[in-house]
Amino acid sequence: MSARTSLTIVLAAGEGTRMRSSLPKVLHRVAGETLLAHVLKAAPGGDGAALAVVIGPDHAAVAEEAQRVRPQAETFVQSERLGTAHAVLAARAALERDADDVLIAFGDTPLISAETFAQLRQPLAQGAALVVLGFRPNDPTGYGRLLVENGALVAIREHADASEQERAIGLCNAGLMAIRGDVALSILERIGNANAKGEYYLTDAIAIVRERGLQSIVVEADEDEVRGINTKAQLAEAEAVMQARLRRAALDAGVTMIAPETVFLAADTVFGKDVTIEPFVVIGERVSIGDGAVIHAFSHLAQAVVGKDASVGPYARLRPGTLLGDGAKIGNFVETKAAQIDAGAKVNHLTYIGDAHIGSKANIGAGTITCNYDGYGKHKTEIGAGAFVGSNTSLVAPVKIGAGAYVGSGSVITREVPDDALALERAEQSVREGWAKRYRDAKTRAKSKDKSHRA
């Protein structure tokens, strides 16, 4: 199979009016990825694999998404919607390059797998001219039936036109098909529009293949794989199927999930070994979780990296750009964004850390806020290794807290705090004195401990 070239034509021109959305249908998301992205990632890739995406007029966003996912993909515009065969012929320039296998797929079937594309191609290598993907739904009402005689596909009968005997057939048309490249263009060009709607239908290709004495056959897929998305309800159904797949894959890879049915994953989530995910966790796209990490209940992560043996939550939110070092801890009701939190650092509770770098083994007290936005731009907070920031502190960025520095509770820090310094800005005098004593005592204990270790 690897020696055969392929062209996958993905039809993505639909407006999706039943989605009740201004967003093109194929740009809606399942498990953090667009419907189109799922299909493009499943389509054949590597040397000799070409991609053509047929889009509607003024759908530049769809073209951009295709290029993002598969940079080598070409896009073609179907200026008029005159049926599926008409849409395929919009990619005529790609068809004329004579790929060995031509696959026709739809941009709204996000559950299709690479294995199914390979299954469609295999009979072409053995001489079949056309292969149609079939499935057996629990309720076949409304689907076109595949009429098979002696192993050959002889017709696709639409439900409205089917006899009672034909409606009893459980094998239905999924829409996807593969055509041998040396005959694909000539077959598509012969499809006419002599029907009530005046449109050109791919299903008419079966009759043309038979007229030419060529072979057409059916291969079958699971119903879930060929689910098309036309409504928000169907989008939700596809999400449920995808989540079940992702949870099963994570469990099979060794992730511990206490209540997997309550956990939501993204298609690109990466897990290390011995990861534990507690109930009601939501993981968005571009999240990597290292070995031994624990994500506690009711936490939400997106575009974040969690280091080995780190702990997140419960009720934590890691927003895009969060880099959590090995053994670091993000506690309950903590939010981070664009923050690097180094190994062993602790941000335990009720705290916001944004546009910041927290050094290793630093401790950030409850209620601390990095004031990173001044109404015009974002600014960075830097906290050195081993620093201690007391509760209810506001760090007004840009600001730097030195390594080993001690910031007293209730402080508002607006200027740099040097290494090993004590900062008690805007605190009451009694609090200042109390913290000063605690700081001196802590430093004395630290020095004594250091001397005993050296001894």
Side-chain angles (χ1 to χ4, degrees), residues 343-388:
K346 295 180 180 180
V347 187
N348 278 319
H349 33 215
L350 301 163
T351 293
Y352 170 71
I353 300 294
D355 296 286
H357 181 189
I358 311 299
S360 61
K361 297 185 179 180
N363 186 91
I364 311 300
T368 296
I369 299 173
T370 56
C371 307
N372 55 323
Y373 183 57
D374 62 6
Y376 298 95
K378 298 293 182 70
H379 303 281
K380 190 170 184 179
T381 298
E382 296 183 49
I383 299 176
F388 182 97

Side-chain angles (χ1 to χ4, degrees), residues 372-416:
N372 55 323
Y373 183 57
D374 62 6
Y376 298 95
K378 298 293 182 70
H379 303 281
K380 190 170 184 179
T381 298
E382 296 183 49
I383 299 176
F388 182 97
V389 178
S391 302
N392 297 317
T393 293
S394 296
L395 304 171
V396 184
V399 71
K400 181 177 180 180
I401 308 299
Y406 213 110
V407 178
S409 295
S411 296
V412 178
I413 304 299
T414 59
R415 59 179 182 267
E416 180 177 348

Side-chain angles (χ1 to χ4, degrees), residues 293-314:
V294 178
I295 311 299
H296 294 282
F298 294 98
S299 294
H300 187 289
L301 294 74
Q303 298 178 39
V305 175
V306 177
K308 296 179 180 179
D309 300 313
S311 176
V312 176

Side-chain angles (χ1 to χ4, degrees), residues 6-72:
S6 69
L7 167 65
T8 304
I9 301 175
V10 180
L11 306 185
E15 292 287 351
T17 53
R18 285 189 284 167
M19 299 292 283
R20 300 290 191 270
S21 172
S22 60
L23 189 69
K25 179 169 67 170
V26 297
L27 297 186
H28 286 79
R29 293 178 179 269
V30 166
E33 288 273 24
T34 63
L35 306 184
L36 180 61
H38 284 290
V39 177
L40 293 179
K41 288 182 177 181
D47 294 339
L51 270 170
V53 181
V54 178
I55 66 175
D58 304 318
H59 278 189
V62 178
E64 290 171 4
E65 175 68 355
Q67 290 288 312
R68 182 191 70 81
V69 180
R70 296 285 290 268
Q72 77 277 25

Side-chain angles (χ1 to χ4, degrees), residues 133-146 159 167-174 220-224 226-227:
L133 188 64
F135 71 113
R136 298 180 184 274
N138 292 326
D139 180 6
T141 303
Y143 292 110
R145 305 306 201 276
L146 300 181
H159 181 86
R167 288 184 181 185
I169 295 172
L171 184 60
C172 296
N173 178 29
E220 294 188 40
D222 184 82
E223 180 179 6
D224 281 338
V226 297
R227 286 176 181 265

Side-chain angles (χ1 to χ4, degrees), residues 7-244:
L7 167 65
T8 304
I9 301 175
V10 180
L11 306 185
E15 292 287 351
T17 53
R18 285 189 284 167
M19 299 292 283
R20 300 290 191 270
S21 172
S22 60
L23 189 69
K25 179 169 67 170
V26 297
L27 297 186
H28 286 79
R29 293 178 179 269
V30 166
E33 288 273 24
T34 63
L35 306 184
L36 180 61
H38 284 290
V39 177
L40 293 179
K41 288 182 177 181
D47 294 339
L51 270 170
V53 181
V54 178
I55 66 175
D58 304 318
H59 278 189
V62 178
E64 290 171 4
E65 175 68 355
Q67 290 288 312
R68 182 191 70 81
V69 180
R70 296 285 290 268
Q72 77 277 25
E74 293 182 90
T75 55
F76 300 88
V77 177
Q78 184 190 18
S79 56
E80 296 181 272
R81 290 181 175 82
L82 297 177
T84 49
H86 180 265
V88 173
L89 282 172
R92 178 185 291 272
L95 284 162
E96 289 174 345
R97 297 181 192 129
D98 297 325
D100 294 323
D101 304 332
V102 175
L103 297 102
I104 300 168
F106 297 87
D108 64 352
T109 56
L111 301 171
I112 196 71
S113 68
E115 291 75 18
T116 294
F117 277 117
Q119 187 183 8
L120 273 171
R121 294 181 69 186
Q122 186 173 2
L124 299 181
Q126 298 168 351
L130 185 146
V131 184
V132 170
L133 188 64
F135 71 113
R136 298 180 184 274
N138 292 326
D139 180 6
T141 303
Y143 292 110
R145 305 306 201 276
L146 300 181
L147 309 186
V148 179
E149 294 179 3
N150 300 319
L153 176 64
V154 298
I156 299 177
R157 191 80 73 232
E158 295 303 321
H159 181 86
D161 301 325
S163 66
E164 287 300 318
Q165 185 178 6
E166 289 169 339
R167 288 184 181 185
I169 295 172
L171 184 60
C172 296
N173 178 29
L176 285 77
M177 66 171 59
I179 310 175
R180 208 172 64 221
D182 60 340
V183 297
L185 191 55
S186 62
I187 289 171
L188 291 164
E189 288 177 330
R190 284 193 58 192
I191 294 175
N193 65 340
N195 52 64
K197 290 187 175 181
E199 295 186 352
Y200 301 85
Y201 297 126
L202 276 174
T203 52
D204 291 345
I206 289 86
I208 295 168
V209 167
R210 287 181 58 78
E211 287 172 8
R212 294 178 57 172
L214 301 173
Q215 183 186 24
S216 58
I217 66 170
V218 176
V219 297
E220 294 188 40
D222 184 82
E223 180 179 6
D224 281 338
E225 276 209 44
V226 297
R227 286 176 181 265
I229 310 300
N230 292 302
T231 66
K232 291 292 179 66
Q234 291 172 341
L235 185 69
E237 290 169 0
E239 182 75 49
V241 173
M242 182 66 77
Q243 288 299 327

